[in-house]
Amino acid sequence: MSEVIHGIGASPGRALGAVRRLARHAWRPEHRTIPAEVVEREVARLEEALAWAADRIRDTREQAARSLGDVEAHIFDPQILILSDPDLVAGTIRYIRENFLSAERAFDWRLTELRTAIIDAGHLMVVDRLADLRDIRSRVLARLAGLSEDPLAFPEEPGLIAIDDLTPSLAVRLDPELVLGVASGSGSRTSHSTLVARSLGIPAVVGLGSDLAKIEDGMIVLLDGGNGRVLIEPAEAERSAHLHMVRRLAGTRGADPAREPTPLFTADGVRVHLRANIDQPHDVPAARRVGAEGVGLFRSEFLVIGRRVIPSEEEQYEAYREVVDGFPNQPVTLRTFDIGGDKFPLFLDLPPEENPYLGWRAIRVCLDRPQLFRNQLRAAIRAGGLEARMRILVPFVICETEILRTKEIVAEVREELGQTEPAAFGVMVETPALADTLDLVGRHLDFISLGTNDLTQYSLAVDRGNARLQHLSNPLHPALLRSYERIYNTASALDLEIGVCGDLAAEPMGLALLLALGYRDFSLAPTSIPEVRELVGLVSVTELSELWTRASRDGDRSGMLRELRAQVEDAIPVEPSPVYMS
């Protein structure tokens, strides 16, 4: 019998295959004391191991810069700094000299103390800092043991890997041709290793915790990095549905990124736009290959996560301009920095918070740090050029005051730059407060983007980062269905452009329902676009809308979802999403 376990969808895409269980070497330095006469030799051993580890990390950083880009390369900067941190180095040397401990034992002891201090700080940044410490610990102890690297054997044939902790240095060693997907016991949606997996295009589910133990070496697993589901030993029908889709979509891999996308229509002739969610400029070729009609969500915060220094206006301009140039005939929408919550630049002194997802984040940070915000807006407006091709999208808005203040700053920046053409201005509708007051604030906007992920989280009081609660995270909950309908109707009445960005549109059931409600513009991970394009061309909006109208009249939500699923399955085989049927 197949079994479903739930984690956190961290890198979108699906993968099916046999699992290889990986385990890092369990370094346990023995408690060994040394004679006084060899203390300085032991200190020299430590210093050599630290220098060697720093050199290896610099090599890894250069490798990441060449293969992935500068943004991913920056995630290794904190490790290099930690290795020269006086608290670590001087503290370890003190234990060697005063307690006559071996270099291995002294280093491990001091690192454990630093780890405890980080955990006690109670900050969500702890996830990445602990991963950095684990990477450093493994490298330094390996060197002190006389090994050149952590002896971890990656698969030699295509398959999935299951690992308790995927650290950044392991993530950059993944070969997308051999590692089809990753299941990890720890991690978060925005951890450094997850960022690397997304850049490599490898589907990943993290935060599985103790459920990872249910995945044994050699098992067949179907992993969905979008919704965080892992199906262990899937049934034949589930495997067939996945393989059917893989075969139908295989042709997109070799597509020419310079080719203009083919206009997309439903079976009954309704025009639908599919745009790309991207994290960085080098995601553009992959988005173009799958036929994305521009960028519906450029997550600009990934340019600053893990950075110790604020990127200059010029650096941001170059990144934004590269994306605009990558889609010369299509719109590009930049989401202003959505930092805070679980996304932390090191240059920002973010205090520990009891609930950071509801705390100082996104537009709240930007309005409180106007220079940071102005630099980004200047870079974005410059990148958009005289035609103002860069659209500005503001996240986590709850009130009219935030919208008006942001528009004032945008206007001031435009005046400074002598830009006469205004950039299109919109907001993410992802908080219940904004969803319920869109009729009051919509006159200040040019467009909206429905953020289904956060709207689900805040409407249902279900933490997206808590794998234990993922079975409750149902974007087709009756309360959300009402919200989607009301948001669409309100925005239409105000003549606003309406888009959707969120995982719901990548699910066949969710996409069909959004089409039934009237949504026609979707922004998705590039890996999801081929499958969604396939489905859009096979369904009839007329039939879907009639089904929704009938269900609304009769109050039969469960029956509507069953019929909806039947219509989708008639069009194309789909894998089950039990949470959406509850």
Side-chain angles (χ1 to χ4, degrees):
M1 292 289 292
S2 60
E3 180 180 1
V4 179
I5 57 177
H6 294 276
I8 300 166
S11 181
R14 295 191 183 103
L16 172 69
V19 168
R20 172 72 177 272
R21 287 294 308 241
L22 299 182
R24 300 192 78 168
H25 185 81
W27 299 103
R28 294 188 180 87
E30 61 178 309
H31 186 77
R32 179 171 63 88
T33 56
I34 56 174
E37 59 268 21
V38 301
V39 161
E40 294 310 314
R41 188 175 69 190
E42 207 67 8
V43 169
R45 284 184 65 230
L46 170 71
E47 292 173 338
E48 190 279 334
L50 293 174
W52 177 90
D55 286 343
R56 298 289 80 71
I57 294 170
R58 290 188 187 95
D59 291 344
T60 302
R61 189 192 188 286
E62 291 176 8
Q63 174 193 340
R66 287 193 303 270
S67 60
L68 299 174
D70 289 338
V71 173
E72 287 84 353
H74 280 302
I75 69 179
F76 293 96
D77 292 345
Q79 293 191 21
I80 296 171
L81 290 169
I82 289 172
L83 282 169
S84 59
D85 185 345
D87 280 347
L88 174 63
V89 179
T92 302
I93 291 174
R94 186 173 67 253
Y95 288 148
I96 294 173
R97 287 175 172 159
E98 296 179 4
N99 298 80
F100 299 101
L101 294 179
S102 66
E104 294 91 334
R105 185 69 183 104
F107 178 75
D108 197 40
W109 187 0
R110 184 59 187 142
L111 213 58
T112 299
E113 291 177 335
L114 294 178
R115 179 179 183 274
T116 301
I118 290 173
I119 293 173
D120 288 346
H123 201 296
L124 271 178
M125 197 185 292
V126 69
V127 174
D128 280 328
R129 293 291 74 77
L130 292 181
D132 287 334
L133 292 185
R134 286 190 291 268
D135 252 354
I136 289 169
R137 180 178 186 273
S138 180
R139 287 184 186 275
V140 173
L141 292 181
R143 182 63 172 178
L144 289 171
L147 301 175
S148 60
E149 278 289 352
D150 184 9
L152 189 66
F154 284 94
E156 297 180 359
E157 297 180 358
L160 286 75
I161 64 170
I163 186 168
D164 288 326
D165 175 36
L166 183 69
T167 60
S169 66
L170 294 180
V172 296
R173 291 167 56 190
L174 300 180
D175 181 348
E177 296 298 318
L178 296 177
V179 179
L180 307 181
V182 175
S184 174
S186 60
S188 72
R189 186 175 282 103
T190 57
S191 64
H192 290 159
S193 54
T194 295
L195 175 61
V196 172
R198 277 203 300 274
S199 295
L200 291 169
I202 298 174
V205 175
V206 302
L208 287 164
S210 59
D211 279 346
L212 186 71
K214 297 178 180 179
I215 304 176
E216 299 177 5
D217 198 68
M219 280 182 163
I220 302 298
V221 160
L222 178 57
L223 176 149
D224 190 323
N227 61 28
R229 294 175 61 247
V230 178
L231 195 58
I232 303 172
E233 298 293 356
E236 187 57 38
E238 294 154 346
R239 300 187 195 193
S240 296
H242 174 78
L243 294 174
H244 171 84
M245 183 58 62
V246 169
R247 285 192 296 270
R248 294 181 74 99
L249 304 179
T252 62
R253 284 194 172 189
D256 181 3
R259 182 185 64 188
E260 286 298 309
T262 304
L264 177 63
F265 296 88
T266 63
D268 56 341
V270 177
R271 181 72 163 97
V272 173
H273 298 273
L274 301 182
R275 313 192 195 279
N277 294 342
I278 68 169
D279 295 343
Q280 302 147 62
H282 73 241
D283 294 336
V284 168
R288 290 193 59 91
R289 269 193 295 272
V290 295
E293 298 182 70
V295 174
L297 180 67
F298 182 177
R299 300 184 181 99
S300 64
E301 60 272 10
F302 284 96
L303 297 174
V304 301
I305 290 176
R307 297 285 295 270
R308 287 187 172 273
V309 179
I310 300 174
S312 67
E313 176 188 328
E314 198 63 28
E315 181 181 345
Q316 293 182 65
Y317 164 77
E318 293 292 341
Y320 302 158
R321 187 69 210 182
E322 185 176 343
V323 176
V324 171
D325 289 344
F327 286 97
N329 302 311
Q330 303 289 349
V332 173
T333 302
L334 178 88
R335 182 175 70 185
T336 58
F337 292 140
D338 189 5
I339 50 182
D342 58 354
K343 291 171 281 196
F344 307 101
L346 298 179
F347 60 75
L348 198 62
D349 186 20
L350 288 164
E353 295 179 300
E354 288 294 326
N355 193 336
Y357 292 102
L358 298 179
W360 195 52
R361 57 169 287 201
I363 190 58
R364 299 169 182 176
V365 173
C366 289
L367 292 178
D368 283 351
R369 294 288 184 269
Q371 193 54 49
L372 172 69
F373 199 22
R374 284 177 179 275
N375 275 355
Q376 179 178 39
L377 292 173
R378 284 179 60 89
I381 291 170
R382 287 174 57 204
L386 295 177
E387 304 85 7
R389 292 193 48 237
M390 181 75 83
R391 293 153 46 104
I392 306 297
L393 178 65
V394 182
F396 206 57
V397 171
I398 65 168
C399 65
E400 187 177 47
T401 301
E402 292 169 332
I403 294 173
L404 294 177
R405 180 61 189 130
T406 301
K407 293 193 73 173
E408 285 176 9
I409 297 173
V410 171
E412 290 167 6
V413 169
R414 279 181 50 220
E415 185 176 356
E416 291 169 6
L417 294 173
Q419 172 66 278
T420 57
E421 187 69 22
F425 180 86
V427 297
M428 295 282 297
V429 181
E430 56 188 346
T431 64
L434 191 63
D436 287 343
T437 58
L438 186 59
D439 58 322
L440 304 178
V441 303
R443 66 183 185 278
H444 305 301
L445 308 171
D446 300 307
F447 69 97
I448 65 164
S449 184
L450 173 65
T452 61
N453 294 345
D454 270 347
L455 189 59
T456 298
Q457 171 174 236
Y458 298 128
S459 296
L460 301 184
V462 173
D463 182 358
R464 289 173 62 198
N466 189 332
R468 181 177 294 178
L469 301 179
Q470 292 310 295
H471 67 287
L472 297 175
S473 183
N474 180 4
L476 300 187
H477 186 285
L480 286 159
L481 297 184
R482 289 182 176 180
S483 289
Y484 304 151
E485 183 177 33
R486 185 173 65 252
I487 290 165
Y488 179 82
N489 290 339
T490 302
S492 294
L494 292 166
D495 199 27
L496 300 178
E497 294 182 38
I498 306 168
V500 177
C501 63
D503 295 334
L504 180 60
E507 291 287 341
M509 287 276 287
L511 174 70
L513 183 112
L514 291 168
L515 286 170
L517 291 174
Y519 292 92
R520 303 288 183 260
D521 196 309
F522 305 98
S523 190
L524 308 150
T527 53
S528 299
I529 288 177
E531 182 177 348
V532 171
R533 174 175 282 273
E534 173 96 2
L535 180 59
V536 166
L538 295 172
V539 297
S540 164
V541 164
T542 302
E543 293 177 5
L544 294 173
S545 299
E546 289 174 353
L547 175 58
W548 171 258
T549 301
R550 188 169 65 251
S552 299
R553 182 186 65 235
D554 299 340
D556 184 11
R557 172 184 173 270
S558 296
M560 182 271 291
L561 290 178
R562 283 193 297 271
E563 285 192 53
L564 189 67
R565 181 171 186 82
Q567 286 199 24
V568 172
E569 286 182 330
D570 284 344
I572 191 170
V574 297
E575 298 152 29
S577 297
V579 66
Y580 293 171
M581 300 299 294
S582 59

